[in-house]
Amino acid sequence: QVQLVESGGGLVQPGGSLRLSCAASGVTLAYYAIGWFRQAPGKEREGVLCVDRFGVRTYYAASVKDRFTISRDKAKNTVYLKMNSLKPENTAVYYCANRLTACSSREFEYNSWGQGTQVTVSS
């Protein structure tokens, strides 16, 4: 059974940093594209950033391009989303999802999803 579990969210002040983790069981993440999505209060879920199995990164949210990075730890079967210089508008529930082929911004093309982790940016 495939399970993705996000962690690392929390309350952070504007300008701060967080590193979110997406840990997997029942699947080897290295063989998949891993996308990070987010859903802010009152808004639809949107794509943030994705890394394919070859390491190619695709940004879906232009506002995070210089502040968010994605990385893998194959030994830990985990993908990370490092978020720097956080802003209040980055407040959302962040989700990771896996896709067997290339990255995509379309949610329905992903296979499995985690339960999400809350990120709140506030002073």
Side-chain angles (χ1 to χ4, degrees):
Q1 183 178 356
V2 176
Q3 187 174 20
L4 303 181
V5 178
E6 302 94 338
S7 62
L11 174 64
V12 63
Q13 292 187 343
S17 298
L18 283 175
R19 189 181 74 164
L20 307 184
S21 300
C22 174
S25 59
V27 64
T28 301
L29 294 185
Y31 299 146
Y32 290 83
I34 304 300
W36 282 96
F37 293 76
R38 65 185 176 189
Q39 186 167 22
K43 295 186 177 181
E44 293 186 353
R45 190 157 57 184
E46 64 174 358
V48 179
L49 176 57
C50 178
V51 60
D52 71 12
R53 56 182 176 172
F54 303 109
V56 177
R57 278 100 169 137
T58 303
Y59 285 85
Y60 297 116
S63 63
V64 308
K65 192 168 184 178
D66 297 326
R67 299 183 294 118
F68 290 13
T69 58
I70 192 170
S71 62
R72 294 181 183 268
D73 185 330
K74 294 182 180 180
K76 294 183 178 180
N77 203 23
T78 299
V79 174
Y80 301 101
L81 179 66
K82 182 65 186 302
M83 306 184 295
N84 298 320
S85 302
L86 283 162
K87 304 176 181 180
E89 53 263 41
N90 299 136
T91 294
V93 178
Y94 284 75
Y95 301 87
C96 65
N98 68 323
R99 185 171 187 248
L100 189 57
T101 54
C103 285
S104 171
S105 62
R106 294 183 285 270
E107 296 179 37
F108 66 87
E109 293 184 347
Y110 285 78
N111 302 110
S112 299
W113 291 78
Q115 81 292 346
T117 185
Q118 175 70 50
V119 171
T120 302
V121 185
S122 175
S123 55

